[in-house]
Amino acid sequence: MRKALLISSALICSAAISAASAQEGGLDTIIVTAQKKQENIQQVPIAVSALSGEALANQQIDSILDMQSLAPGLQVSEAAGTARIFIRGIGLVNFAPGGEPSVAFHVDGAVISRPGAQIGPFFDLERIEVLRGPQGSLYGRNATGGSINLITRRPTDELDAYANITVGNYGLIETNGALSGPIIPGVLNARIAARTENRNGFGENLQVGQDVDDADNWAVRGSLEYVGHERFRAFLTYSHYQRDSSRGDYHALGPANPLITPPEVAMGGMIAADPRDSNSEVDIASVANTDSITLELEYDISDAVSLKSITNYFDHERSASTDLNQTPVPFFRNDTSESAEQFSEELHLIWDTPRWSGLFGLYYFDEDITPNVRIEGPPVFPNVFMRPFILFEGQQSSKSYAAFLNTTFHLTDELSFTAGVRYSKDEKEEVGSQTIPTGMVIPTNRTLDTDAWTPKFVIEYEPTNALLFYGTVSRGYKAGVINIGNAGPAVFPEFVWNYEAGVKSRLFDNRVQANASVFYTEISDLQVQRPISGTLITINAAEARTKGVELETKTLLGGGFSLDFNGAYVDADFKEFLTENTTFAPGVTVDLAGNPLPNSPKWHADIALAYEGVIGDGWTVNGRVQGVYTDKRWFNEFRESISFQDETFQLNANLRIGNPGGRYYVNIWGRNLTDEFIISHINVTSSAIGHMRLATFMQPRTFGATFGFEF
C-alpha cells in the first residue's frame, strides 16, 4: 500500500507539473511571520507551511487535533487532556504535571506553555504557520521540533461580519460568527468573534449511560486595534475558552502482558467490548477554562528601524476525572487538576536596510503551576483510611530570561548569510509531595537552574525571485523538567543540533510551487517517560537522531483545478538508550539503540485535488478531495506490538457552493470518510495497574454541512 501510494502520488505530481505549463494565471503570494517579520513564504529560509483561515474552515479543521495533514512530518494527538505534537519525530512524551512540550505553540506571537492549554478551538483565524526543525535562536525554549503559530484576524477599517452554523453526524451543532469595523474611523477598529460546539460522544460509558469523547465548548475573542498614527500601532486582544465534556479520555485495550492479570480484572471487572466505549463507575469528565490577554505595540523609529513589544497574560485551569482500569471495579479512579498562570514579555528591535537586516530581542517568562493528581485505591482507602491510594501535589514556579540576535548580511544581490544566537536562562523551584499507598508522605522540594546557548547559521542563494536555495545549522533546546509531586529527580534539558538544506521554487510562470528540504538532527539527553516502581518517571535518554526528506508541491492544472502534495520520510531512532522493560523484564537492562522514537512514522503523505470556479449566473464552486497516508508507528520505546498502530489511509472531502455576490454559501464536508479506526496513542501503565493498555483514538467518520452568511 505504501509503495503504491507513493509511486502513484509521484506519477500524478509529475504529470501535473508537465500539464501546468499550458495554464494561465498564477499562484497567490503567501505572507508569513515565521521570522517575526512579514515575508513572502518562498523567501523564508525555513521549512514552513501555512494554511489560511478560510481553508481551515472549509476543511473542518477545528483544532490542533485535526492538523495531521497540514504539513509534512507533523503528527498530532491527544492523551490525558494534553496535546501531543510531534514534528520530525520529536514531540511530547511526558504527561506528568510540569512536563514541557518539544514543539512551541504561539497565538499572536505569545507562547502557550501548557500542553493542556493547547487544545482549544480554531476560529476566526487569519492563518496557521507550521515551522519544522529547531527554532532555538528566535523562539528559544521548547522548540526542538519546531513551532506552530496561530495568527488571528485583525479588526477591519470597514464594517465586516459573518455567521455560520454547522450540523453533522453524532448530533453535531457548531456555530461561528464575527463582527468587525471602525469605532472611531481612521483611529480605532474593533472585532469580536465567537464559537460554540456541541456534539454527542463517539462512544458510551456503559455503566452510567454517559457519552464519552463528546464535545461541549464555547469560545469568544475581542480585539481592538489603534491605527490613528502613521508610525505607532497597537493591537489588544482578549480571549476566553470553556470546555465541559468527556473528550480525550483513555479507553482500555486489555492487559499488555498476558501472564499478568490486572487487579481490577482479578476482582471481576470487565472492560468494554467496543474499544470506543468505557465500562467505568466513574463519571468521565474533562473541564477547562482559559483566559488570555495580549498587547502588541509597534513603533517605527524610521523607515528602516522599528520597535515591537508583545505582552501576554495567560490563565488556564483544567480538571479531569477518569478511570485507569476502565472497569466497574472501584479501583484506580484518577482525578487530576491543574492551575497555571503565566506572564510573558518580548521586546524586538528590528532593522531592514538594503545590505543588512536583523532583529535583537529580549524575553521574559514567568509561570506558576499548581497541580493535584489523586488516584483512589480500593474502597478501604477512602472509607477507612480517609485518604487516596496515591497523591501527587505541589506548586512550581518557573522563570525564563533570554536575549537573542538574528542578523542577515546581503553579501550580493543573490547571496546572503544569517547568523543568530540566543542565550536563555531557566529557573525552576518546586514545593510538593507524593503520598504512597502505605500513607507515607515523601517531600519533593527541588530546584533546577539551567542555561543554554542556541546559535543558528544560514546561507541563502537566490538566483531569481522564483528560486531559493538555503543551508542551515542550528541548535535548539527543551527546558529541564521537574515533575511536580513526583519523587523522581529533576530532568536536565534536551538539546538538538540540526543540519538542513532546502530549496523553494516557483516554476512555469508561477503555476507550480515545489519546496523540498533534507535534514539530519542529533538529539542529546532526550527526555522520555517510563513506569518504574509503580509510578511514571521522566528520565534523560542518552542519544537519538532523526533524518529525512520533505516535499511540498502545489500545481495549477488549468480549468480551475489544482493539485497539492505533501510528503515526508522521517527516520528517527535511538542511538544509545539503556533502560529496563518493566512490562516484560523488570530489573533487566536492555539497549534500545536502533529502535524508532515514539510516534514517528517513517512515511507520511497526503495528496489533494481541488477545484475553484464559477458556474451558471455567478455561482462559485470550491471543492477538495484529499487522501492522507500514515505509515506504521509505535507509541513506546520498545517497538512492541502492544503499543502499535499499523499504516492508515484517510479520505477527506468538502464542496462549497456560494450564491452570486458571495453573501450566502453552503459547505458540505466529510473527514475520515473511509471510517478508519486509528489509535492516536497507547499508554502501557505501571505494574500497580497490571500493565493495562490505555489508548486514545482519532475521530471516526464525520460529515456534515455548514450554512453561512457573509456581510
Side-chain angles (χ1 to χ4, degrees):
M1 180 179 180
R2 177 183 71 193
K3 291 182 178 179
L5 176 70
L6 294 176
I7 293 172
S8 299
S9 299
L11 290 174
I12 291 171
C13 291
S14 176
I17 291 174
S18 299
S21 60
Q23 186 195 331
E24 297 180 359
L27 293 165
D28 293 333
T29 298
I30 300 175
I31 301 300
V32 297
T33 52
Q35 296 191 116
K36 298 185 182 287
K37 59 181 180 179
Q38 291 192 346
E39 296 174 288
N40 182 341
I41 192 172
Q42 290 300 104
Q43 297 175 328
V44 177
I46 296 175
V48 54
S49 305
L51 196 66
S52 70
E54 181 180 3
L56 292 167
N58 287 342
Q59 298 174 41
Q60 199 67 11
I61 298 177
D62 287 339
S63 77
I64 194 171
L65 302 176
D66 300 320
M67 289 178 57
Q68 289 287 106
S69 60
L70 184 56
L74 173 65
Q75 299 291 315
V76 184
S77 62
E78 179 181 9
T82 62
R84 301 181 71 246
I85 309 172
F86 285 73
I87 296 179
R88 296 178 173 177
I90 300 174
L92 175 70
V93 296
N94 180 0
F95 311 128
E100 300 283 3
S102 299
V103 177
F105 189 88
H106 297 83
V107 178
D108 289 328
V111 68
I112 307 300
S113 176
R114 291 296 91 215
Q118 297 170 358
I119 303 176
F122 290 169
F123 70 107
D124 203 44
L125 294 181
E126 181 66 30
R127 67 184 180 277
I128 290 181
E129 302 173 5
V130 180
L131 287 64
R132 305 188 297 279
Q135 307 297 322
S137 63
L138 282 177
Y139 290 87
R141 65 199 295 267
N142 301 341
T144 50
S147 179
I148 294 178
N149 302 341
L150 275 61
I151 296 89
T152 64
R153 289 180 179 172
R154 296 286 181 112
T156 54
D157 55 11
E158 294 183 356
L159 185 62
D160 179 59
Y162 70 86
N164 62 58
I165 182 170
T166 298
V167 294
N169 62 334
Y170 295 99
L172 172 68
I173 299 179
E174 177 186 310
T175 63
N176 285 272
L179 175 65
S180 180
I183 294 179
I184 305 175
V187 178
L188 186 65
N189 300 328
R191 186 179 190 93
I192 186 168
R195 179 185 187 273
T196 67
E197 180 188 18
N198 286 273
R199 176 180 46 74
N200 299 331
F202 299 133
E204 180 184 1
N205 186 346
L206 304 176
Q207 282 296 306
V208 298
Q210 169 202 22
D211 279 1
V212 292
D213 289 328
D214 63 338
D216 183 359
N217 61 76
W218 63 274
V220 63
R221 182 188 304 118
S223 57
L224 296 170
E225 187 170 31
Y226 174 75
V227 293
H229 192 279
E230 185 180 29
R231 292 189 177 275
F232 176 73
R233 297 168 299 281
F235 175 56
L236 175 67
T237 180
Y238 165 77
S239 65
H240 174 79
Y241 167 63
Q242 188 166 311
R243 179 181 77 231
D244 187 355
S245 64
S246 62
R247 64 170 299 163
D249 187 39
Y250 281 125
H251 299 260
L253 297 180
N257 190 336
L259 301 179
I260 298 176
T261 301
E264 63 276 9
V265 175
M267 289 185 282
M270 296 284 291
I271 64 175
D274 186 338
R276 287 201 180 272
D277 291 334
S278 295
N279 194 29
S280 170
E281 84 286 0
V282 177
D283 286 327
I284 307 299
S286 176
V287 178
N289 286 276
T290 297
D291 292 279
S292 179
I293 302 175
T294 303
L295 175 63
E296 179 184 294
L297 304 174
E298 290 185 86
Y299 179 70
D300 296 331
I301 299 173
S302 67
D303 291 341
V305 182
S306 63
L307 289 171
K308 185 175 183 178
S309 166
I310 301 175
T311 307
N312 173 260
Y313 170 80
F314 189 87
D315 182 80
H316 171 66
E317 295 183 1
R318 71 179 181 97
S319 62
S321 296
T322 187
D323 188 348
L324 296 180
N325 68 56
Q326 292 292 323
T327 77
V329 175
F331 199 172
F332 295 121
R333 175 192 175 109
N334 183 10
D335 293 295
T336 300
S337 65
E338 181 183 70
S339 175
E341 188 176 16
Q342 71 172 60
F343 172 83
S344 64
E345 171 63 40
E346 188 162 347
L347 297 173
H348 299 163
L349 173 65
I350 306 169
W351 63 94
D352 191 0
T353 66
R355 290 299 181 190
W356 184 37
S357 60
L359 182 151
F360 173 75
L362 298 173
Y363 180 73
Y364 173 72
F365 175 84
D366 189 334
E367 180 181 55
D368 291 316
I369 310 172
T370 305
N372 182 287
V373 180
R374 183 185 182 98
I375 300 175
E376 300 289 356
V380 66
F381 281 86
N383 296 336
V384 178
F385 299 148
M386 304 302 292
R387 63 174 175 83
F389 186 65
I390 300 174
L391 178 64
F392 306 93
E393 59 183 344
Q395 183 174 18
Q396 178 178 282
S397 174
S398 299
K399 290 181 171 59
S400 182
Y401 314 84
F404 55 98
L405 174 67
N406 198 74
T407 183
T408 300
F409 301 92
H410 304 284
L411 306 177
T412 68
D413 291 341
E414 296 83 19
L415 188 64
S416 300
F417 174 73
T418 298
V421 66
R422 185 183 188 109
Y423 174 75
S424 303
K425 181 174 177 59
D426 296 311
E427 300 173 351
K428 294 192 174 190
E429 182 178 359
E430 178 234 10
V431 177
S433 64
Q434 175 180 341
T435 302
I436 62 176
T438 62
M440 179 184 296
V441 178
I442 304 173
T444 60
N445 304 340
R446 291 160 294 182
T447 62
L448 179 65
D449 294 340
T450 60
D451 61 358
W453 289 92
T454 50
K456 180 177 183 178
F457 306 99
V458 184
I459 188 76
E460 303 172 55
Y461 178 61
E462 190 175 13
T464 71
N465 291 333
L467 187 60
L468 171 69
F469 299 94
Y470 65 90
T472 301
V473 177
S474 61
R475 192 186 196 215
Y477 89 105
K478 176 178 176 178
V481 171
I482 297 176
N483 288 149
I484 305 168
N486 192 310
V491 182
F492 293 110
E494 171 184 306
F495 290 94
V496 304
W497 274 104
N498 184 58
Y499 309 89
E500 185 168 343
V503 59
K504 296 188 175 186
S505 62
R506 288 282 180 98
L507 309 170
F508 299 109
D509 295 328
N510 201 34
R511 290 186 291 273
V512 175
Q513 176 176 298
N515 298 340
S517 56
V518 57
F519 63 89
Y520 180 88
T521 305
E522 292 275 0
I523 311 169
S524 59
D525 291 325
L526 179 67
Q527 297 173 7
V528 296
Q529 195 172 41
R530 295 298 307 145
I532 297 175
S533 302
T535 188
L536 286 173
I537 301 293
T538 303
I539 59 176
N540 293 106
E543 292 184 8
R545 67 106 176 98
T546 72
K547 59 183 178 181
V549 180
E550 300 164 335
L551 174 65
E552 296 179 281
T553 68
K554 185 176 182 65
T555 306
L556 299 180
L557 300 175
F561 287 94
S562 62
L563 187 70
D564 297 344
F565 175 79
N566 294 327
Y569 171 79
V570 178
D571 184 9
D573 57 31
F574 293 100
K575 292 182 63 179
E576 179 185 336
F577 184 17
L578 299 177
T579 185
E580 62 176 284
N581 187 331
T582 58
T583 304
F584 294 104
V588 179
T589 300
V590 293
D591 186 356
L592 301 185
N595 279 14
L597 297 185
N599 205 33
S600 58
K602 277 195 174 184
W603 295 93
H604 178 84
D606 75 83
I607 187 168
L609 179 66
Y611 173 80
E612 180 177 352
V614 179
I615 61 174
D617 296 326
W619 292 83
T620 59
V621 178
N622 294 271
R624 193 171 193 266
V625 179
Q626 178 193 45
V628 182
Y629 170 81
T630 306
D631 202 359
K632 60 188 177 183
R633 56 271 195 199
W634 289 264
F635 300 110
N636 68 11
E637 298 83 5
F638 298 102
R639 196 173 182 173
E640 297 168 327
S641 60
I642 60 172
S643 187
F644 172 77
Q645 170 61 58
D646 206 350
E647 60 182 6
T648 58
F649 181 80
Q650 293 175 270
L651 183 66
N652 307 318
N654 79 280
L655 176 65
R656 172 173 164 151
I657 301 174
N659 76 315
R663 177 161 292 190
Y664 305 97
Y665 69 90
V666 58
N667 182 47
I668 303 169
W669 55 268
R671 296 186 63 81
N672 191 15
L673 291 173
T674 53
D675 201 21
E676 288 263 353
F677 181 78
I678 304 174
I679 299 171
S680 59
H681 175 66
I682 294 178
N683 178 32
V684 179
T685 60
S686 66
S687 57
I689 312 177
H691 301 298
M692 181 69 80
R693 292 190 301 148
L694 301 179
T696 56
F697 310 128
M698 292 187 183
Q699 293 187 1
R701 175 171 49 228
T702 57
F703 53 85
T706 301
F707 305 90
F709 164 85
E710 296 179 353
F711 180 77

